[in-house]
């Protein structure tokens, strides 16, 4: 029986491979994800097929080109409107010499979070999302969980490449530890924010700082190299990222500034996850960073860390942030609130 099964698998393998190495996948027609929410199905149905080749050509090659491109996407965040919508207060300032925003639910933190704090790290491929744009997801988390947040406006390239962002998160964390125990602090963010949160914890460990009490990883960019499987299998299917080649690849090189992309403080999936805090992870079946999220999950599990992986049907990169009021949106942040309540001291 075993020999027959092995023979069948070998036959299937021979049929599936085109010669040796790469596979040739025939063109396909892809329908909206029928198992996803109606809101997500409608959003996908209304989106044209992503322009893969156009995105691949989007490759700023110098600091000047990056500066010019970033200037084309000015921050349009209205903090007053955001505060009203989320029913929070937002205060800009500095913490540990780093620009940061304090966000708090109106009326104060709700039980069980009177003494807790969420250290929020924004995404944006390490080049976008600074200034007031660093705040929106922090406000959502504060509103859902009833927990105060600090959104770090870390320095970014081209003026401030690696390790400036890691240094800024460490500086803010050191300052927060003066008023909170590590078990009272959660850290996290989406995309590059999730990756930077992981890198910061690697650095906390290297500096003998106590690690936070919980981590939120929304589809973390945990490997800046062109390695993860879903970067290739979901190219042109993820309608947010679309392709690694182009902007993402260029942003990775800009951020690293000559440091190997496999350095664990740049691509944290290559680090040691021993002693990491309990972690809540989110991704989707059409998310190009599905593999990054899965690989981090396996590293955490192998290290004996509590790791709650949540994979949503049909979701592209970080769409849970964008489809406000959808089941994917409500469940992501509602269950994060429950996770924080269970894990923080």
């Amino acid at each position: 029986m075993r020999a027959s099964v092995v023979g069948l698998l070998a036959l299937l393998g021979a049929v599936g491979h085109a010669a040796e190495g790469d596979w040739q996948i025939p063109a396909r027609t892809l329908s909206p994800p029928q198992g996803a929410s109606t809101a997500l199905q409608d959003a996908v149905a209304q989106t044209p097929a992503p322009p893969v080749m156009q995105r691949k050509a989007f490759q700023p090659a110098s600091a000047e080109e990056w500066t010019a491109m970033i200037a084309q996407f000015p921050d349009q965040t209205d903090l007053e409107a955001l505060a009203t919508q989320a029913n929070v207060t937002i205060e800009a300032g500095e913490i540990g010499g780093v620009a940061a925003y304090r966000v708090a639910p109106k009326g104060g933190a709700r039980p069980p979070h009177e003494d807790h704090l969420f250290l929020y790290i924004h995404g944006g491929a390490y080049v976008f999302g600074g200034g007031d744009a660093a705040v929106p997801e922090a406000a959502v988390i504060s509103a859902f969980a009833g927990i105060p947040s600090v959104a770090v406006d870390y320095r970014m390239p081209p003026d401030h490449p690696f390790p400036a962002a890691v240094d800024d998160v460490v500086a803010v964390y050191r300052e927060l530890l003066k008023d909170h125990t590590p078990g009272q602090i959660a850290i996290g963010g989406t995309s590059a924010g999730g990756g930077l949160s992981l890198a910061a914890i690697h650095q906390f460990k290297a500096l003998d700082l106590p690690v936070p009490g919980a981590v939120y990883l929304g589809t973390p960019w945990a490997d800046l190299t062109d390695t993860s499987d879903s970067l290739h299998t979901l190219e042109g299917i993820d309608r947010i990222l679309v392709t690694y080649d182009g902007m993402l690849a260029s942003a990775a090189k800009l951020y690293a500034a000559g440091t190997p992309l496999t350095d664990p403080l740049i691509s944290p999936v290559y680090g040691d996850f021993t002693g990491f805090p309990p972690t809540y992870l989110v991704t989707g079946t059409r998310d190009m960073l599905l593999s990054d999220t899965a690989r981090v999950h396996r590293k955490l599990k192998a290290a004996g860390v509590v790791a709650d992986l949540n994979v949503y049907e049909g979701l592209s990169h970080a769409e849970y942030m964008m489809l406000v009021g959808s089941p994917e949106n409500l469940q992501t942040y509602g269950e994060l609130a429950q996770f924080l309540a269970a894990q923080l001291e």
Side-chain angles (χ1 to χ4, degrees), residues 77-90 103-106 136-137 139-140 142-144 321-325 329:
T77 304
D78 184 335
L79 291 186
E80 185 176 346
L82 175 64
T84 299
Q85 183 178 15
N87 197 33
V88 299
T89 61
I90 301 171
V103 183
K106 286 185 178 176
E137 193 182 21
V140 170
S142 285
F144 266 83
M321 292 176 59
M322 307 167 198
L323 298 175
V324 177
N329 172 262

Side-chain angles (χ1 to χ4, degrees), residues 25 57 92 104 150 228 250 265:
I25 307 296
V150 166
S228 286
S250 297
L265 296 186

